[in-house]
Amino acid sequence: MSGVLANVTSWVFTTMLGALVYVLDTGVERMPMTWTSLTLLTLLLPVAVSFGIIQRHHQHTSHDEQRPLMATSTAWRTPASYRRFVWFCSTFLLWYAALAAGEWLASVYIDTLPHTTSDEFFYVYTWIATVNILSLLAGWVVSAKVRSWPLQYVYTLYFFTTYFIFYRNLFARLENPEQVVLLQASASVGIALVYPLRMARWVYRILAFVCRWGDDYPYEAYVRHLGRAFFLRNKAENATVLGFVCWVTILHYGPNRLHYPYFRFEQYGDVSYEYSLTVRASIYAWMSEFVASRIVRFIFRRVYKLNISADAVHDFCRYPHVVAAMVLVTIHVLQNILFAMIRLDFG
């Protein structure tokens, strides 16, 4: 089966499965996780087909070859390309785990409305911890096992974008401007402090000792890696705030607004939520993030002599196909804004 045929088959199958879920009307069609799972299944089926073909070829090759009588376990190894592909397939589990964790936290968040400011902080920083742990695991697999720099670049962008879509949806259930100011101010100040601090040599020495980094990961490589991560974070911030404001506006005023009660901003008990507050909060958050990013970039240039924009241009010139992959990944994750915290109403 060719790559194109595998992708078309996957899309047709999941579309038919989604239509079947809707027709049967069992109640699962109102769960965001159902549609997120179908989205992931669309991506996983071509990978599963590829894995099956490579696995069958590997087994066939292994059976056909005669193992030398005196061959050692070191001499008789599984091909490195096969091991790398298996590790690559495992990263999709981390990919899905990030979405599943976000969906679960979002469901808990919605089911326990309304919230105090402390509740908002707990939700945000629990989500930050979760997505960072999964991102670190995926980054280790891609860098240490798959050994693909472009893939690591794309995965870093994916996890940042996934983090921000759930964070943006939080603004649709803020009760007053005070929550917005406290939540975003703490996040921006934290970013302006943490990233420059992580660039320090003494931080690198501590991490190198704990993680047992050797000469293959010097301080200069560590700084470039951290700069790339911050650059990708900025791209995720800009893309998700634009996508969120567009989706909120379309779903609030568009013809399908009756099917998306979460974005009607109706009164919930004694608390009313407003479209205008959500948009203003989103714009304020983006402005705060923009100012924080300018501060961090300035510190990078003046203190660490690092221009992350120039480094990014150099990376894109070296790996031009990464740009297209970044665009496609961003579009795919932005679609999950629709699935992140809504409750579909097909009635």
Side-chain angles (χ1 to χ4, degrees):
M1 181 181 291
S2 66
V4 174
L5 182 58
N7 281 282
V8 171
T9 303
S10 174
W11 179 79
V12 171
F13 172 73
T14 52
T15 300
M16 293 176 61
L17 189 59
L20 183 64
V21 169
Y22 169 73
V23 170
L24 292 178
D25 191 22
T26 60
V28 296
E29 72 276 4
R30 294 177 174 82
M31 300 171 60
M33 187 66 74
T34 300
W35 307 106
T36 302
S37 300
L38 283 177
T39 302
L40 186 74
L41 186 61
T42 305
L43 299 175
L44 286 181
L45 284 178
V47 177
V49 171
S50 301
F51 179 78
I53 294 173
I54 293 177
Q55 175 74 7
R56 186 168 60 252
H57 175 74
H58 172 63
Q59 291 177 345
H60 177 73
T61 303
S62 300
H63 290 157
D64 288 346
E65 293 180 353
Q66 295 293 325
R67 180 170 179 173
L69 180 62
M70 301 301 294
T72 64
S73 59
T74 304
W76 190 264
R77 292 178 175 176
T78 303
S81 58
Y82 175 77
R83 295 198 305 270
R84 290 171 64 189
F85 182 76
V86 172
W87 277 107
F88 167 71
C89 292
S90 70
T91 60
F92 279 90
L93 298 177
L94 298 174
W95 186 325
Y96 181 70
L99 281 179
E103 292 287 2
W104 180 78
L105 286 172
S107 298
V108 172
Y109 178 82
I110 291 177
D111 293 339
T112 55
L113 288 170
H115 294 296
T116 63
T117 302
S118 60
D119 294 334
E120 308 287 355
F121 273 90
F122 178 79
Y123 170 82
V124 169
Y125 286 98
T126 300
W127 176 228
I128 289 175
T130 302
V131 78
N132 274 287
I133 290 171
L134 294 173
S135 179
L136 287 173
L137 288 174
W140 176 80
V141 171
V142 173
S143 62
K145 299 299 182 180
V146 182
R147 298 186 180 90
S148 171
W149 179 89
L151 189 61
Q152 186 176 9
Y153 209 90
V154 171
Y155 264 70
T156 301
L157 176 65
Y158 166 80
F159 280 101
F160 273 131
T161 310
T162 300
Y163 157 70
F164 276 110
I165 63 170
F166 289 98
Y167 179 66
R168 304 298 183 204
N169 274 303
L170 170 70
F171 289 177
R173 283 300 178 267
L174 294 175
E175 300 170 23
N176 56 68
E178 178 185 353
Q179 289 182 329
V180 180
V181 172
L182 292 176
L183 196 63
Q184 187 57 46
S186 64
S188 296
V189 170
I191 292 300
L193 294 175
V194 169
Y195 270 88
L197 182 65
R198 290 174 63 187
M199 283 280 188
R201 281 187 177 273
W202 64 269
V203 174
Y204 166 76
R205 293 191 186 100
I206 293 175
L207 292 175
F209 176 78
V210 173
C211 302
R212 299 184 179 278
W213 293 335
D215 295 336
D216 57 334
Y217 195 56
Y219 174 72
E220 291 72 19
Y222 168 79
V223 167
R224 288 196 301 271
H225 175 78
L226 196 58
R228 290 187 185 113
F230 189 73
F231 174 83
L232 294 173
R233 179 188 177 93
N234 293 162
K235 300 302 108 180
E237 289 170 348
N238 297 334
T240 53
V241 74
L242 178 62
F244 177 70
V245 171
C246 289
W247 278 127
V248 167
T249 303
I250 292 171
L251 295 177
H252 184 66
Y253 291 109
N256 291 325
R257 68 186 308 270
L258 295 179
H259 301 296
Y260 295 90
Y262 184 81
F263 291 121
R264 283 185 232 155
F265 299 99
E266 298 173 342
Q267 186 163 342
Y268 188 93
D270 297 331
V271 180
S272 59
Y273 305 101
E274 301 177 6
Y275 164 79
S276 59
L277 175 60
T278 299
V279 173
R280 291 198 309 271
S282 301
I283 295 174
Y284 162 75
W286 176 78
M287 292 175 61
S288 176
E289 292 162 355
F290 180 81
V291 171
S293 71
R294 296 302 103 179
I295 294 174
V296 172
R297 285 169 180 250
F298 176 78
I299 297 174
F300 281 177
R301 287 194 302 269
R302 293 298 297 271
V303 178
Y304 301 106
K305 312 302 179 186
L306 177 67
N307 188 327
I308 62 175
S309 296
D311 281 358
V313 172
H314 178 268
D315 292 338
F316 296 153
C317 291
R318 186 180 179 186
Y319 301 101
H321 59 281
V322 170
V323 178
M326 288 174 60
V327 173
L328 293 175
V329 167
T330 302
I331 292 174
H332 165 70
V333 179
L334 288 180
Q335 294 176 28
N336 290 323
I337 289 180
L338 292 176
F339 306 132
M341 293 178 71
I342 62 177
R343 288 297 183 271
L344 297 173
D345 184 3
F346 290 106

